[in-house]
Amino acid sequence: MDFSGLYQRYAPDVYRFALYLTGQRSDAEDITAETFARVWTSSVPLEMVTVKAYLFTIARNLYRQGLRGKSRHVELDEGLQDPRSDPFAEVAQEERLQNTMVALQQLPEISRSALLMYALDGMPYEQISQVLKLSLPAVKVKIHRARLALAGISNEL
């Protein structure tokens, strides 16, 4: 697969993973771009079982190295009009998403990463254990506890 095909196929998954990991769109965009830049410039062949696991490993490492600290926050003009048809439904959905994002940010990074890889991307436990460098039972426990904690935090919000 050429680089363009690789990017088109996996960029949405990497972006979604980074977005839920960081909680910020601009950080997720930066991490996604940097992930693919590193793949493009790497002379090392892919060593992970799947390409997605390899890309998630790079994205998670970038997050952990502090790219998240360079976030750019810009206030939007409140006078902007939303062109969508049902703004009330959009607001309710956005509020649920924001509550979920807040709850996710309260989880430890490793638990959040494991949960996101499993729940959002359907990554098998074995691949998650390779990415996070944890044993298979530890990955299962992290995901289970993250779900319980997320449910408890969501109920508080």
Side-chain angles (χ1 to χ4, degrees), residues 47-119:
E47 295 180 15
M48 300 297 286
V49 174
T50 68
V51 174
K52 187 186 283 188
Y54 179 72
L55 294 170
F56 279 19
T57 300
I58 295 171
R60 180 172 177 260
N61 288 339
L62 287 168
Y63 170 76
R64 291 176 68 203
Q65 289 171 3
L67 191 55
R68 69 189 184 281
K70 299 178 184 176
S71 65
R72 300 176 306 253
H73 297 282
V74 177
E75 293 294 323
L76 294 177
D77 180 12
E78 294 295 327
L80 293 176
Q81 298 238 345
D82 189 351
R84 293 173 277 200
S85 61
D86 187 4
F88 296 110
E90 295 286 333
V91 167
Q93 183 177 0
E94 183 68 25
E95 186 174 307
R96 284 190 302 274
L97 177 61
Q98 290 302 321
N99 287 340
T100 301
M101 296 296 283
V102 167
L104 278 171
Q105 295 306 308
Q106 293 180 26
L107 296 176
E109 181 274 327
I110 196 158
S111 298
R112 185 170 63 237
S113 293
L115 180 64
L116 292 172
M117 286 181 213
Y118 181 76

Side-chain angles (χ1 to χ4, degrees), residues 23-56:
Q24 299 290 325
R25 286 187 173 107
S26 61
D27 290 344
E29 290 168 356
D30 290 346
I31 288 173
T32 301
E34 183 64 22
T35 296
F36 284 95
R38 290 190 180 194
V39 169
W40 177 262
T41 60
S42 176
S43 61
V44 179
L46 299 180
E47 295 180 15
M48 300 297 286
V49 174
T50 68
V51 174
K52 187 186 283 188
Y54 179 72
L55 294 170
F56 279 19

